[in-house]
Each structure stands twice: as C-alpha cells, then as structure tokens.
PDB file of all heavy atoms in Angstrom:
ATOM      1  N   ALA A   1      87.053 114.385  77.762  1.00 96.00           N
ATOM      2  CA  ALA A   1      86.934 115.793  78.130  1.00 96.00           C
ATOM      3  C   ALA A   1      88.279 116.497  77.934  1.00 96.00           C
ATOM      4  O   ALA A   1      89.277 116.118  78.556  1.00 96.00           O
ATOM      5  CB  ALA A   1      86.478 115.941  79.572  1.00 96.00           C
ATOM      6  N   VAL A   2      88.276 117.533  77.098  1.00 96.00           N
ATOM      7  CA  VAL A   2      89.517 118.276  76.832  1.00 96.00           C
ATOM      8  C   VAL A   2      89.477 119.691  77.407  1.00 96.00           C
ATOM      9  O   VAL A   2      90.481 120.392  77.409  1.00 96.00           O
ATOM     10  CB  VAL A   2      89.819 118.344  75.322  1.00 96.00           C
ATOM     11  CG1 VAL A   2      90.069 116.956  74.767  1.00 96.00           C
ATOM     12  CG2 VAL A   2      88.676 119.038  74.563  1.00 96.00           C
ATOM     13  N   SER A   3      88.316 120.127  77.890  1.00 97.00           N
ATOM     14  CA  SER A   3      88.190 121.422  78.563  1.00 97.00           C
ATOM     15  C   SER A   3      88.002 121.162  80.046  1.00 97.00           C
ATOM     16  O   SER A   3      86.999 120.573  80.463  1.00 97.00           O
ATOM     17  CB  SER A   3      86.992 122.205  78.005  1.00 97.00           C
ATOM     18  OG  SER A   3      86.824 123.422  78.697  1.00 97.00           O
ATOM     19  N   HIS A   4      88.974 121.583  80.847  1.00 98.00           N
ATOM     20  CA  HIS A   4      88.970 121.317  82.285  1.00 98.00           C
ATOM     21  C   HIS A   4      88.792 122.636  83.041  1.00 98.00           C
ATOM     22  O   HIS A   4      89.618 123.544  82.898  1.00 98.00           O
ATOM     23  CB  HIS A   4      90.279 120.663  82.720  1.00 98.00           C
ATOM     24  CG  HIS A   4      90.581 119.388  82.003  1.00 98.00           C
ATOM     25  ND1 HIS A   4      91.796 118.739  82.108  1.00 98.00           N
ATOM     26  CD2 HIS A   4      89.824 118.620  81.160  1.00 98.00           C
ATOM     27  CE1 HIS A   4      91.776 117.652  81.362  1.00 98.00           C
ATOM     28  NE2 HIS A   4      90.584 117.557  80.775  1.00 98.00           N
ATOM     29  N   ALA A   5      87.744 122.758  83.833  1.00 98.00           N
ATOM     30  CA  ALA A   5      87.479 123.984  84.593  1.00 98.00           C
ATOM     31  C   ALA A   5      87.335 123.651  86.074  1.00 98.00           C
ATOM     32  O   ALA A   5      86.648 122.687  86.436  1.00 98.00           O
ATOM     33  CB  ALA A   5      86.217 124.666  84.081  1.00 98.00           C
ATOM     34  N   ILE A   6      87.988 124.451  86.901  1.00 98.00           N
ATOM     35  CA  ILE A   6      87.971 124.237  88.353  1.00 98.00           C
ATOM     36  C   ILE A   6      87.700 125.575  89.028  1.00 98.00           C
ATOM     37  O   ILE A   6      88.400 126.555  88.776  1.00 98.00           O
ATOM     38  CB  ILE A   6      89.302 123.646  88.854  1.00 98.00           C
ATOM     39  CG1 ILE A   6      89.584 122.305  88.164  1.00 98.00           C
ATOM     40  CG2 ILE A   6      89.274 123.475  90.370  1.00 98.00           C
ATOM     41  CD1 ILE A   6      90.953 121.718  88.505  1.00 98.00           C
ATOM     42  N   CYS A   7      86.700 125.615  89.886  1.00 98.00           N
ATOM     43  CA  CYS A   7      86.346 126.834  90.612  1.00 98.00           C
ATOM     44  C   CYS A   7      87.127 126.886  91.923  1.00 98.00           C
ATOM     45  O   CYS A   7      86.966 126.019  92.791  1.00 98.00           O
ATOM     46  CB  CYS A   7      84.842 126.867  90.882  1.00 98.00           C
ATOM     47  SG  CYS A   7      84.287 128.369  91.700  1.00 98.00           S
ATOM     48  N   LEU A   8      87.972 127.893  92.060  1.00 98.00           N
ATOM     49  CA  LEU A   8      88.762 128.112  93.266  1.00 98.00           C
ATOM     50  C   LEU A   8      88.307 129.398  93.942  1.00 98.00           C
ATOM     51  O   LEU A   8      87.681 130.255  93.314  1.00 98.00           O
ATOM     52  CB  LEU A   8      90.250 128.224  92.905  1.00 98.00           C
ATOM     53  CG  LEU A   8      90.865 127.040  92.158  1.00 98.00           C
ATOM     54  CD1 LEU A   8      92.280 127.377  91.725  1.00 98.00           C
ATOM     55  CD2 LEU A   8      90.863 125.786  93.035  1.00 98.00           C
ATOM     56  N   TYR A   9      88.650 129.540  95.201  1.00 98.00           N
ATOM     57  CA  TYR A   9      88.315 130.778  95.885  1.00 98.00           C
ATOM     58  C   TYR A   9      89.280 131.889  95.492  1.00 98.00           C
ATOM     59  O   TYR A   9      90.457 131.646  95.203  1.00 98.00           O
ATOM     60  CB  TYR A   9      88.318 130.565  97.397  1.00 98.00           C
ATOM     61  CG  TYR A   9      87.147 129.744  97.861  1.00 98.00           C
ATOM     62  CD1 TYR A   9      87.321 128.453  98.361  1.00 98.00           C
ATOM     63  CD2 TYR A   9      85.847 130.254  97.793  1.00 98.00           C
ATOM     64  CE1 TYR A   9      86.244 127.690  98.774  1.00 98.00           C
ATOM     65  CE2 TYR A   9      84.762 129.500  98.197  1.00 98.00           C
ATOM     66  CZ  TYR A   9      84.961 128.220  98.686  1.00 98.00           C
ATOM     67  OH  TYR A   9      83.881 127.471  99.075  1.00 98.00           O
ATOM     68  N   GLU A  10      88.767 133.099  95.474  1.00 98.00           N
ATOM     69  CA  GLU A  10      89.532 134.279  95.076  1.00 98.00           C
ATOM     70  C   GLU A  10      90.862 134.384  95.813  1.00 98.00           C
ATOM     71  O   GLU A  10      91.890 134.730  95.228  1.00 98.00           O
ATOM     72  CB  GLU A  10      88.679 135.529  95.340  1.00 98.00           C
ATOM     73  CG  GLU A  10      89.423 136.843  95.436  1.00 98.00           C
ATOM     74  CD  GLU A  10      89.825 137.417  94.089  1.00 98.00           C
ATOM     75  OE1 GLU A  10      89.382 136.889  93.055  1.00 98.00           O
ATOM     76  OE2 GLU A  10      90.589 138.402  94.089  1.00 98.00           O
ATOM     77  N   HIS A  11      90.873 134.051  97.107  1.00 97.00           N
ATOM     78  CA  HIS A  11      92.075 134.254  97.910  1.00 97.00           C
ATOM     79  C   HIS A  11      92.890 132.979  98.120  1.00 97.00           C
ATOM     80  O   HIS A  11      93.793 132.960  98.960  1.00 97.00           O
ATOM     81  CB  HIS A  11      91.690 134.875  99.254  1.00 97.00           C
ATOM     82  CG  HIS A  11      91.135 136.266  99.108  1.00 97.00           C
ATOM     83  ND1 HIS A  11      89.782 136.507  98.932  1.00 97.00           N
ATOM     84  CD2 HIS A  11      91.758 137.471  99.057  1.00 97.00           C
ATOM     85  CE1 HIS A  11      89.591 137.811  98.807  1.00 97.00           C
ATOM     86  NE2 HIS A  11      90.762 138.422  98.874  1.00 97.00           N
ATOM     87  N   ASP A  12      92.594 131.935  97.344  1.00 98.00           N
ATOM     88  CA  ASP A  12      93.397 130.712  97.419  1.00 98.00           C
ATOM     89  C   ASP A  12      94.536 130.815  96.398  1.00 98.00           C
ATOM     90  O   ASP A  12      94.541 130.143  95.368  1.00 98.00           O
ATOM     91  CB  ASP A  12      92.531 129.483  97.146  1.00 98.00           C
ATOM     92  CG  ASP A  12      93.258 128.179  97.453  1.00 98.00           C
ATOM     93  OD1 ASP A  12      94.478 128.222  97.705  1.00 98.00           O
ATOM     94  OD2 ASP A  12      92.602 127.120  97.437  1.00 98.00           O
ATOM     95  N   GLU A  13      95.499 131.665  96.681  1.00 97.00           N
ATOM     96  CA  GLU A  13      96.580 131.934  95.732  1.00 97.00           C
ATOM     97  C   GLU A  13      97.453 130.717  95.478  1.00 97.00           C
ATOM     98  O   GLU A  13      97.936 130.506  94.365  1.00 97.00           O
ATOM     99  CB  GLU A  13      97.437 133.100  96.220  1.00 97.00           C
ATOM    100  CG  GLU A  13      96.762 134.442  96.113  1.00 97.00           C
ATOM    101  CD  GLU A  13      96.445 134.811  94.671  1.00 97.00           C
ATOM    102  OE1 GLU A  13      97.195 134.405  93.764  1.00 97.00           O
ATOM    103  OE2 GLU A  13      95.425 135.494  94.450  1.00 97.00           O
ATOM    104  N   GLU A  14      97.664 129.901  96.487  1.00 98.00           N
ATOM    105  CA  GLU A  14      98.561 128.752  96.316  1.00 98.00           C
ATOM    106  C   GLU A  14      97.986 127.747  95.326  1.00 98.00           C
ATOM    107  O   GLU A  14      98.701 127.235  94.454  1.00 98.00           O
ATOM    108  CB  GLU A  14      98.825 128.083  97.666  1.00 98.00           C
ATOM    109  CG  GLU A  14      99.985 127.101  97.629  1.00 98.00           C
ATOM    110  CD  GLU A  14     100.408 126.613  99.002  1.00 98.00           C
ATOM    111  OE1 GLU A  14      99.954 127.186 100.013  1.00 98.00           O
ATOM    112  OE2 GLU A  14     101.199 125.645  99.068  1.00 98.00           O
ATOM    113  N   ALA A  15      96.677 127.473  95.431  1.00 98.00           N
ATOM    114  CA  ALA A  15      96.042 126.545  94.486  1.00 98.00           C
ATOM    115  C   ALA A  15      96.037 127.146  93.087  1.00 98.00           C
ATOM    116  O   ALA A  15      96.312 126.451  92.096  1.00 98.00           O
ATOM    117  CB  ALA A  15      94.621 126.224  94.932  1.00 98.00           C
ATOM    118  N   LYS A  16      95.744 128.440  92.983  1.00 98.00           N
ATOM    119  CA  LYS A  16      95.725 129.080  91.662  1.00 98.00           C
ATOM    120  C   LYS A  16      97.099 129.027  91.006  1.00 98.00           C
ATOM    121  O   LYS A  16      97.223 128.690  89.819  1.00 98.00           O
ATOM    122  CB  LYS A  16      95.239 130.528  91.781  1.00 98.00           C
ATOM    123  CG  LYS A  16      93.742 130.652  91.983  1.00 98.00           C
ATOM    124  CD  LYS A  16      93.260 132.076  91.778  1.00 98.00           C
ATOM    125  CE  LYS A  16      93.638 132.967  92.926  1.00 98.00           C
ATOM    126  NZ  LYS A  16      93.059 134.330  92.793  1.00 98.00           N
ATOM    127  N   GLN A  17      98.125 129.352  91.756  1.00 98.00           N
ATOM    128  CA  GLN A  17      99.467 129.356  91.178  1.00 98.00           C
ATOM    129  C   GLN A  17      99.882 127.961  90.732  1.00 98.00           C
ATOM    130  O   GLN A  17     100.543 127.792  89.701  1.00 98.00           O
ATOM    131  CB  GLN A  17     100.477 129.920  92.186  1.00 98.00           C
ATOM    132  CG  GLN A  17     100.334 131.405  92.426  1.00 98.00           C
ATOM    133  CD  GLN A  17     100.481 132.208  91.151  1.00 98.00           C
ATOM    134  OE1 GLN A  17     101.345 131.935  90.315  1.00 98.00           O
ATOM    135  NE2 GLN A  17      99.636 133.220  90.991  1.00 98.00           N
ATOM    136  N   GLN A  18      99.493 126.932  91.492  1.00 98.00           N
ATOM    137  CA  GLN A  18      99.827 125.564  91.097  1.00 98.00           C
ATOM    138  C   GLN A  18      99.137 125.200  89.784  1.00 98.00           C
ATOM    139  O   GLN A  18      99.762 124.641  88.876  1.00 98.00           O
ATOM    140  CB  GLN A  18      99.414 124.580  92.191  1.00 98.00           C
ATOM    141  CG  GLN A  18      99.652 123.115  91.822  1.00 98.00           C
ATOM    142  CD  GLN A  18     101.104 122.826  91.494  1.00 98.00           C
ATOM    143  OE1 GLN A  18     101.984 123.076  92.310  1.00 98.00           O
ATOM    144  NE2 GLN A  18     101.378 122.309  90.311  1.00 98.00           N
ATOM    145  N   LEU A  19      97.857 125.536  89.668  1.00 98.00           N
ATOM    146  CA  LEU A  19      97.149 125.200  88.440  1.00 98.00           C
ATOM    147  C   LEU A  19      97.591 126.069  87.270  1.00 98.00           C
ATOM    148  O   LEU A  19      97.588 125.615  86.124  1.00 98.00           O
ATOM    149  CB  LEU A  19      95.642 125.297  88.668  1.00 98.00           C
ATOM    150  CG  LEU A  19      95.085 124.221  89.618  1.00 98.00           C
ATOM    151  CD1 LEU A  19      93.588 124.386  89.810  1.00 98.00           C
ATOM    152  CD2 LEU A  19      95.392 122.816  89.125  1.00 98.00           C
ATOM    153  N   PHE A  20      97.999 127.302  87.530  1.00 98.00           N
ATOM    154  CA  PHE A  20      98.582 128.121  86.460  1.00 98.00           C
ATOM    155  C   PHE A  20      99.829 127.436  85.898  1.00 98.00           C
ATOM    156  O   PHE A  20     100.071 127.438  84.691  1.00 98.00           O
ATOM    157  CB  PHE A  20      98.941 129.509  86.969  1.00 98.00           C
ATOM    158  CG  PHE A  20      97.761 130.399  87.268  1.00 98.00           C
ATOM    159  CD1 PHE A  20      97.914 131.537  88.043  1.00 98.00           C
ATOM    160  CD2 PHE A  20      96.496 130.098  86.785  1.00 98.00           C
ATOM    161  CE1 PHE A  20      96.836 132.356  88.326  1.00 98.00           C
ATOM    162  CE2 PHE A  20      95.405 130.908  87.067  1.00 98.00           C
ATOM    163  CZ  PHE A  20      95.583 132.048  87.842  1.00 98.00           C
ATOM    164  N   ARG A  21     100.622 126.832  86.783  1.00 97.00           N
ATOM    165  CA  ARG A  21     101.827 126.123  86.319  1.00 97.00           C
ATOM    166  C   ARG A  21     101.472 124.894  85.498  1.00 97.00           C
ATOM    167  O   ARG A  21     102.294 124.402  84.721  1.00 97.00           O
ATOM    168  CB  ARG A  21     102.702 125.725  87.521  1.00 97.00           C
ATOM    169  CG  ARG A  21     103.431 126.897  88.166  1.00 97.00           C
ATOM    170  CD  ARG A  21     104.493 126.426  89.137  1.00 97.00           C
ATOM    171  NE  ARG A  21     103.914 125.875  90.354  1.00 97.00           N
ATOM    172  CZ  ARG A  21     103.608 126.591  91.430  1.00 97.00           C
ATOM    173  NH1 ARG A  21     103.787 127.903  91.428  1.00 97.00           N
ATOM    174  NH2 ARG A  21     103.110 126.017  92.504  1.00 97.00           N
ATOM    175  N   TYR A  22     100.260 124.400  85.666  1.00 97.00           N
ATOM    176  CA  TYR A  22      99.805 123.240  84.896  1.00 97.00           C
ATOM    177  C   TYR A  22      99.013 123.651  83.656  1.00 97.00           C
ATOM    178  O   TYR A  22      98.302 122.836  83.071  1.00 97.00           O
ATOM    179  CB  TYR A  22      98.952 122.333  85.787  1.00 97.00           C
ATOM    180  CG  TYR A  22      99.762 121.343  86.609  1.00 97.00           C
ATOM    181  CD1 TYR A  22     101.162 121.411  86.659  1.00 97.00           C
ATOM    182  CD2 TYR A  22      99.140 120.337  87.332  1.00 97.00           C
ATOM    183  CE1 TYR A  22     101.888 120.510  87.412  1.00 97.00           C
ATOM    184  CE2 TYR A  22      99.872 119.430  88.086  1.00 97.00           C
ATOM    185  CZ  TYR A  22     101.244 119.525  88.124  1.00 97.00           C
ATOM    186  OH  TYR A  22     101.964 118.624  88.878  1.00 97.00           O
ATOM    187  N   GLY A  23      99.114 124.902  83.265  1.00 97.00           N
ATOM    188  CA  GLY A  23      98.518 125.333  82.008  1.00 97.00           C
ATOM    189  C   GLY A  23      97.139 125.935  82.103  1.00 97.00           C
ATOM    190  O   GLY A  23      96.504 126.191  81.073  1.00 97.00           O
ATOM    191  N   PHE A  24      96.651 126.187  83.305  1.00 98.00           N
ATOM    192  CA  PHE A  24      95.348 126.806  83.473  1.00 98.00           C
ATOM    193  C   PHE A  24      95.459 128.322  83.370  1.00 98.00           C
ATOM    194  O   PHE A  24      96.503 128.911  83.636  1.00 98.00           O
ATOM    195  CB  PHE A  24      94.754 126.462  84.845  1.00 98.00           C
ATOM    196  CG  PHE A  24      94.185 125.073  84.954  1.00 98.00           C
ATOM    197  CD1 PHE A  24      95.030 123.977  85.121  1.00 98.00           C
ATOM    198  CD2 PHE A  24      92.815 124.845  84.902  1.00 98.00           C
ATOM    199  CE1 PHE A  24      94.519 122.689  85.243  1.00 98.00           C
ATOM    200  CE2 PHE A  24      92.301 123.568  85.018  1.00 98.00           C
ATOM    201  CZ  PHE A  24      93.152 122.493  85.188  1.00 98.00           C
ATOM    202  N   GLY A  25      94.354 128.948  83.004  1.00 97.00           N
ATOM    203  CA  GLY A  25      94.233 130.399  83.036  1.00 97.00           C
ATOM    204  C   GLY A  25      92.880 130.778  83.597  1.00 97.00           C
ATOM    205  O   GLY A  25      91.928 129.988  83.554  1.00 97.00           O
ATOM    206  N   MET A  26      92.771 131.990  84.142  1.00 97.00           N
ATOM    207  CA  MET A  26      91.505 132.421  84.708  1.00 97.00           C
ATOM    208  C   MET A  26      90.506 132.729  83.601  1.00 97.00           C
ATOM    209  O   MET A  26      90.864 133.244  82.544  1.00 97.00           O
ATOM    210  CB  MET A  26      91.711 133.648  85.588  1.00 97.00           C
ATOM    211  CG  MET A  26      90.491 134.004  86.425  1.00 97.00           C
ATOM    212  SD  MET A  26      90.665 135.580  87.302  1.00 97.00           S
ATOM    213  CE  MET A  26      92.177 135.287  88.213  1.00 97.00           C
ATOM    214  N   ARG A  27      89.220 132.441  83.871  1.00 96.00           N
ATOM    215  CA  ARG A  27      88.188 132.733  82.885  1.00 96.00           C
ATOM    216  C   ARG A  27      86.934 133.347  83.507  1.00 96.00           C
ATOM    217  O   ARG A  27      86.369 134.271  82.937  1.00 96.00           O
ATOM    218  CB  ARG A  27      87.817 131.463  82.118  1.00 96.00           C
ATOM    219  CG  ARG A  27      86.567 131.645  81.271  1.00 96.00           C
ATOM    220  CD  ARG A  27      86.600 130.926  79.986  1.00 96.00           C
ATOM    221  NE  ARG A  27      85.376 131.190  79.228  1.00 96.00           N
ATOM    222  CZ  ARG A  27      85.198 130.820  77.981  1.00 96.00           C
ATOM    223  NH1 ARG A  27      86.150 130.194  77.338  1.00 96.00           N
ATOM    224  NH2 ARG A  27      84.069 131.089  77.359  1.00 96.00           N
ATOM    225  N   CYS A  28      86.476 132.822  84.636  1.00 96.00           N
ATOM    226  CA  CYS A  28      85.198 133.269  85.201  1.00 96.00           C
ATOM    227  C   CYS A  28      85.361 133.707  86.651  1.00 96.00           C
ATOM    228  O   CYS A  28      86.236 133.207  87.371  1.00 96.00           O
ATOM    229  CB  CYS A  28      84.158 132.154  85.136  1.00 96.00           C
ATOM    230  SG  CYS A  28      83.888 131.500  83.472  1.00 96.00           S
ATOM    231  N   VAL A  29      84.505 134.629  87.064  1.00 98.00           N
ATOM    232  CA  VAL A  29      84.546 135.181  88.415  1.00 98.00           C
ATOM    233  C   VAL A  29      83.115 135.248  88.952  1.00 98.00           C
ATOM    234  O   VAL A  29      82.186 135.618  88.238  1.00 98.00           O
ATOM    235  CB  VAL A  29      85.155 136.595  88.421  1.00 98.00           C
ATOM    236  CG1 VAL A  29      85.166 137.181  89.838  1.00 98.00           C
ATOM    237  CG2 VAL A  29      86.563 136.584  87.838  1.00 98.00           C
ATOM    238  N   ASP A  30      82.945 134.896  90.236  1.00 98.00           N
ATOM    239  CA  ASP A  30      81.700 135.141  90.953  1.00 98.00           C
ATOM    240  C   ASP A  30      81.967 136.227  91.978  1.00 98.00           C
ATOM    241  O   ASP A  30      83.015 136.224  92.644  1.00 98.00           O
ATOM    242  CB  ASP A  30      81.222 133.877  91.676  1.00 98.00           C
ATOM    243  CG  ASP A  30      80.735 132.816  90.715  1.00 98.00           C
ATOM    244  OD1 ASP A  30      79.644 132.990  90.155  1.00 98.00           O
ATOM    245  OD2 ASP A  30      81.451 131.819  90.525  1.00 98.00           O
ATOM    246  N   ALA A  31      81.030 137.173  92.106  1.00 98.00           N
ATOM    247  CA  ALA A  31      81.217 138.289  93.022  1.00 98.00           C
ATOM    248  C   ALA A  31      79.901 138.618  93.718  1.00 98.00           C
ATOM    249  O   ALA A  31      78.819 138.240  93.255  1.00 98.00           O
ATOM    250  CB  ALA A  31      81.743 139.512  92.273  1.00 98.00           C
TER     251      ALA A  31
END
C-alpha cells in the first residue's frame, strides 16, 4: 500500500500537524 489515508477530527490540530510533518496533506472532509 502506497496511498495512506487517515481520518482525523476537524479540531484535532496536534494530530494533523504531526502527520503534516510526515508528508500528509488534507484531501477529504465530512460535515
């Protein structure tokens, strides 16, 4: 698997920032 996707909560900034540092970018949103 070379495409890695992880669903985080909108307000979990600490987890998002950590994964951004590991090369992740945002793609999908649930509202």
Side-chain angles (χ1 to χ4, degrees):
V2 296
S3 177
H4 303 171
I6 301 174
C7 183
L8 303 173
Y9 288 111
E10 160 78 9
H11 294 90
D12 190 351
E13 288 297 329
E14 193 170 349
K16 284 193 286 185
Q17 290 302 318
Q18 177 58 57
L19 292 179
F20 289 163
R21 287 192 288 272
Y22 275 8
F24 283 78
M26 191 187 304
R27 169 144 182 171
C28 304
V29 179
D30 290 287

